Structure formats: C-alpha cells, structure tokens
Amino acid sequence: MTRRYFAIALCVVASTASADLSELRDLHLDVIPRTADETARIARVTAPTPDFTVAETFETNPGGAATVRARSDADAFSQASGNMSFEGELNFKVGNGLFRKLWVSSPSSTMASDGLGPLYNARSCQRCHLKDGRGHPPDGPEDSPVSMFLRISVPAASDSAMEEIEAFLDSIGDTTPRTRPDPVYGGQIQDFATAGHTAEGRMQIDYEEIEVALSGGENAMLRKPNYSLADPAYGAPHPEAMLSPRVAPQMIGLGLLEAIPVEDILSHADPDDADGDGISGRAQIVWSVEHEVPMLGRFGWKAGMATVKEQSASAFAGDIGISNPLFQAPSGDCTEAQEACIAGPHGDGDARRWEIDAEGLDLVSFYSRNLAVPARRDVDDPQVLRGKQVFYDTGCVACHTPKFVTHRLDNQPEQSFQLIWPYTDLLLHDMGPGLADNRPEGRASGHEWRTAPLWGTGLTEQVNGHSYFLHDGRARSRLEAILWHGGEAQAARDSVVGMPPEDRAALIRYLESL
C-alpha cells in the first residue's frame, strides 16, 4: 500500500557565494510541466475578482475536485478527498487508523503499538488534532493542555551539523538569529511521561484583559497571555531560553498546499516592500531531513517544515516520542542531560526497525495529505458578498491570497491541477509586537508568522466546539483574531476598528462562510 509521492524541493543551482531566492529551482517528481496556454489561463483564473455582486465560478469548491460536501456534524474535517479512487480510500482508512492509534510504553505485548515516550505530549495524533481540527488552550485549571504545548529554544552560534543550510542562509544575506533546542529540555516541553519517568513540567498561562474601542460605540475585549514553565522537573531551563506556545492547527487541505508550485508562492514575496504597500512577505527556507536540501517551508505556524511527510514524522518524534525513518531517536525529544529517558526501554529493534516504520509513516502522510476541504456555504448571501468586498478592500488579500492552481501530478491525482482557495500566501509576515513570541525559527524572526490558511475556519465551532484562533488560541472569536493583527497588518486591523459596524459584521459573516 505504499506509494511514491512527489516532493517540492529547492535546490541551489548557483554557487552559495552568489545565491539568492531567484536562483532556487523546483525539483519535482511526477510533475507535468505547464504549457504556455495553461500558464496564461491560470493567471486569469487566479486574478483577484473586481465583481462582488455574485459569487465567482467554482468558489463553492475551495479544494477543487477534492472538495467534499460540508457536513453538519463534528466529522466535517475528517473526510477523504472527494476525487479519491477506491484504492486510495483503503489507504486513507488505514492511515486514519494509525493517526488515531493510542501508543503504549515499552516493553509491551502490543508490539505494533509500543514505543510511547518516555516523555510525550499526547498518545496519538488525534489527541492533539481533535477531530482533525483545531486545538485550544486549557479552558481553566481542570482542562487538559493536550492539544497545546510550548516550544523552547536558546540562542546559538553556528552548528556544524547544520552547516549546509546555514551556509545557504548566509549566502542570501539572512541575519535571523540562530537558535538551538534547550540543552536540558530539548525542542519542546513534554508535559506527560510513561511510568517510571517524570514529565518535564507544565505550561502556565496568565491572561490580562485589554479593552478595544470600536466604531459605532462597540467594543471588544482581548486577552493578552503570559507563558511560563511551572514545576520544571529537570532543573531550570537555560537562562536565555525562549518559550513559544503552539496549538495544533486544523489538518484539512495539506496535500493541496504542498502541491502549490514554488514559483507561484515566491511570486508573492516582497521582502523589501518594493511596491510600497506595507506588506513584506518572505519565504521560509528550511533544511529538509527527507530530501537533504534546502526547501521552501510551508507547514507549521512559522512554516518550519517543508513537506507533509516531514511534518508528520517530526510530530511522531516530538509529540509522541515515536521513532521513524526521518527522526530515528527512540527516545524522541529527550536530551543527553535526561539520562533515564535516553536509557529507558523503547520499541526499536523488532521487525518494524523503528517504532513506526516507513510504510506506516507513508500511510499517515497519505491520510494527512487527503483530509478534504469542505464546500463553502452561503456564497451568494448578500451579506457574505458584502463581507467579501470588505475583505478585499481592507487589504486582507495581500497576505491571505485567495486562489492558486496546483501542479499537474501523475501519481497524486487528488491534488493534481486543482483550482484551490486556501486564503494564504504561505509566506512569513511581521505581525507586530502584540503577537510576537520573540523566538526565531529558521528565517522567521520573533515577530514573523506564516499566513494561516482560512479555508474551513467557519466550521471550527461545529467540529471542535470552540472559536479559539491564532497560534496560541488567545483569540476567542474571529474579531479578536483580527484585532491582534499588527505590523504589516496594522493598517488593515485599524480599518476594521474604524469601519461602519455593518461592514464589520459583514466581514465576520464572510469569514464564517469559509
């Protein structure tokens, strides 16, 4: 049931002494090049609409032919691509079983499911990505933080182990401060442990309420979070440790995002704001463990992973402590300072070779690529159409790019040559001091975040029972999420504050329809 999947890599074709992003090229497997006629047609269909009196053609199908009917229950994000073959459906269902599987600690009589931890954040992928949707911060002291955790890193000089990517970043003039995992706690704080081991600590969140006055006599309340590590079990973290919270993002449409041509994403980048519109999107460049080349980062809140498979493998290792072909340490994120964790029993060494083998990882990756985007609702509603015009006129589309057309892919028919509507440019943007985590990641500074896709967000309450948004779930509504925008989005945010209340309501109604 394994398959060969295409990957998009960025390869340095010039000497690193003179390399820049214009000299990065696609490396594609199983891609059919576009013709000149197709390129012209794609430019026409992806151009921003000037007409807000009617819905656009195909706007109801944000995932192209892979779109599925919008269900009215909590399974709306858990459907397979609508254009999937019968064979693909079998792979999807097996991948779903592995995604939902509860892992147990070693040694165990359940050899196909052992290897948990010893330190971990969740026992399954589904425990973080609840119903394949969005995680949330703990709702009070009794609520579990299972769908949210803390990243941790420290400032660091150059590392010989990362020499190739650092040489490349240096060659393009990138000056983002380099970071490394904390020498004791690794790359993230694991708040659970198997028997005989001690969890690393627990995330503590303290909120401050901030009132924001809006036009028309309205107001909104924002909650400003402060994060700390409580009860650190392995001593104090590094004195310069940087903490950054993460809620699990929704899973829909990942394969379609992976299939967007690199050059189409880079065409939206404007790091020096050459057009003077105040928007300076930058491409994230990361080292791919899977392909061993620098690649365009697409996945994660700061676009720290290049491919769906690598994102899946990293989560197995960091979140669950499961070794795999890409991240092979059987003790997961444990560091050399955590000797008991390193020496603890694990599930490597049997017929699987790793705690999840190559076939299992491929099946989970296939499942993750093919979680379908639900159809849009109410696209012809007059208030939704007015909200769409407000969304465009306010400048939201400068980062939340509505449309792309994916590659033609021989071996990925579900994602091949689809007009999609993700509402993201997949680039890094400075979101200002209010949202800053002050923790660099790759090329992303402590103020920068990848533009979050908006497709499917209107179903968050239905799927997950909450309306928490942004990287740490601090926003309790779509309006609060907008009001946290700063930096490059400050002008758009201020427009929302000052616009007539009926336009603000229409904007929210439009977002609810996505």
Side-chain angles (χ1 to χ4, degrees):
M1 290 182 285
T2 59
R3 297 173 57 137
R4 186 186 184 204
Y5 302 109
F6 97 104
I8 298 175
L10 293 176
C11 178
V12 184
V13 296
S15 68
T16 55
S18 62
D20 60 33
L21 289 183
S22 68
E23 294 173 316
L24 296 172
R25 296 292 185 266
D26 271 333
L27 291 180
H28 302 299
L29 301 177
D30 310 321
V31 166
I32 303 171
R34 292 173 176 173
T35 66
D37 286 345
E38 285 177 342
T39 300
R41 182 155 57 97
I42 289 167
R44 289 195 299 271
V45 301
T46 57
T49 182
D51 184 3
F52 301 99
T53 61
V54 294
E56 296 175 71
T57 305
F58 306 122
E59 194 171 1
T60 55
N61 296 326
T67 305
V68 294
R69 176 180 60 86
R71 296 171 61 111
S72 58
D73 59 18
D75 291 326
F77 289 168
S78 301
Q79 308 308 305
S81 297
N83 54 351
M84 182 175 286
S85 67
F86 179 78
E87 177 192 10
E89 289 182 10
L90 176 60
N91 288 344
F92 181 86
K93 290 175 181 176
V94 176
N96 184 20
L98 291 170
F99 192 84
R100 297 168 62 92
K101 179 166 72 170
L102 292 174
W103 294 84
V104 299
S105 58
S106 299
S108 167
S109 59
T110 312
M111 293 182 65
S113 300
D114 70 355
L116 176 68
L119 306 179
Y120 62 95
N121 293 108
R123 289 182 58 197
S124 74
C125 307
Q126 185 76 214
R127 287 287 181 93
C128 289
H129 300 278
L130 307 169
K131 303 295 290 184
D132 304 299
R134 189 180 304 273
H136 61 86
D139 192 8
E142 302 303 319
D143 192 18
S144 170
V146 71
S147 61
M148 183 179 186
F149 66 83
L150 288 171
R151 292 259 185 235
I152 182 169
S153 57
V154 299
S158 294
D159 183 346
S160 60
M162 297 294 291
E163 182 177 346
E164 292 176 271
I165 185 62
E166 289 189 345
F168 177 76
L169 293 177
D170 288 343
S171 75
I172 61 174
D174 185 82
T175 59
T176 307
R178 306 292 188 248
T179 61
R180 296 291 178 269
D182 183 90
V184 174
Y185 290 94
Q188 64 193 66
I189 300 298
Q190 275 97 11
D191 47 8
F192 294 100
T194 59
H197 296 270
T198 304
E200 291 181 320
R202 59 182 178 87
M203 175 174 54
Q204 182 165 316
I205 314 175
D206 298 304
Y207 289 109
E208 171 191 350
E209 293 285 333
I210 302 173
E211 186 172 6
V212 178
L214 306 173
S215 62
E218 298 179 351
N219 62 69
M221 296 298 296
L222 305 183
R223 56 176 188 174
K224 179 181 179 181
N226 180 63
Y227 297 93
S228 58
L229 174 60
D231 303 324
Y234 296 85
H238 189 282
E240 296 181 90
M242 297 168 278
L243 299 175
S244 182
R246 297 287 191 273
V247 295
Q250 63 185 25
M251 296 285 292
I252 57 173
L254 298 185
L256 295 167
L257 295 178
E258 188 179 49
I260 299 172
V262 169
E263 61 267 26
D264 291 356
I265 296 171
L266 294 181
S267 71
H268 292 273
D270 185 16
D272 300 318
D273 192 19
D275 61 6
D277 67 352
I279 307 300
S280 309
R282 299 200 306 148
Q284 171 72 289
I285 306 296
V286 298
W287 182 257
S288 169
V289 175
E290 181 181 358
H291 298 288
E292 298 185 335
V293 291
M295 292 180 66
L296 178 70
R298 299 171 187 248
F299 303 107
W301 290 103
K302 287 182 182 267
M305 288 291 168
T307 69
V308 172
K309 183 175 180 178
E310 198 159 350
Q311 177 76 16
S312 301
S314 175
F316 267 119
D319 300 348
I320 315 178
I322 299 297
S323 64
N324 58 76
L326 298 185
F327 298 92
Q328 300 181 9
S331 52
D333 190 47
C334 295
T335 68
E336 293 181 359
Q338 296 167 325
E339 295 180 359
C341 181
I342 295 291
H346 55 77
D348 276 13
D350 58 25
R352 295 171 295 172
R353 186 176 179 186
W354 301 285
E355 290 164 337
I356 185 168
D357 60 16
E359 184 176 30
L361 181 58
D362 280 345
L363 286 164
V364 171
S365 301
F366 182 79
Y367 173 76
S368 300
R369 282 192 183 96
N370 282 287
L371 283 161
V373 183
R376 281 275 310 279
R377 289 87 49 218
D378 304 324
V379 295
D380 292 317
D381 181 275
Q383 188 183 31
V384 169
L385 289 170
R386 174 57 187 159
K388 178 180 178 181
Q389 183 171 7
V390 172
F391 186 81
Y392 277 61
D393 290 349
T394 305
C396 304
V397 293
C399 300
H400 291 284
T401 305
K403 294 174 281 186
F404 288 96
V405 172
T406 61
H407 273 300
R408 285 193 184 276
L409 305 169
D410 263 346
N411 288 350
Q412 275 185 249
E414 300 87 1
Q415 288 82 41
S416 180
F417 207 58
Q418 301 297 321
L419 171 63
I420 63 173
W421 306 67
Y423 303 93
T424 176
D425 58 10
L426 295 177
L427 296 174
L428 300 172
H429 293 275
D430 184 341
M431 296 301 292
L435 284 179
D437 66 348
N438 300 310
R439 176 185 171 271
E441 182 179 328
R443 295 189 79 205
S445 74
H447 282 218
E448 288 180 312
W449 301 93
R450 183 205 66 165
T451 304
L454 297 181
W455 54 9
T457 54
L459 295 173
T460 297
E461 292 95 327
Q462 175 183 306
V463 172
N464 294 123
H466 66 76
S467 58
Y468 296 138
F469 297 102
L470 300 177
H471 68 281
D472 56 0
R474 70 177 68 185
R476 295 161 292 189
S477 68
R478 292 166 185 82
L479 177 59
E480 285 188 32
I482 294 170
L483 296 178
W484 274 111
H485 283 49
E488 296 174 40
Q490 186 70 44
R493 178 262 186 202
D494 291 346
S495 293
V496 173
V497 169
M499 67 178 51
E502 58 269 24
D503 282 352
R504 196 161 49 238
L507 173 62
I508 299 303
R509 180 73 182 88
Y510 171 67
L511 295 175
E512 291 172 346
S513 79
L514 297 181

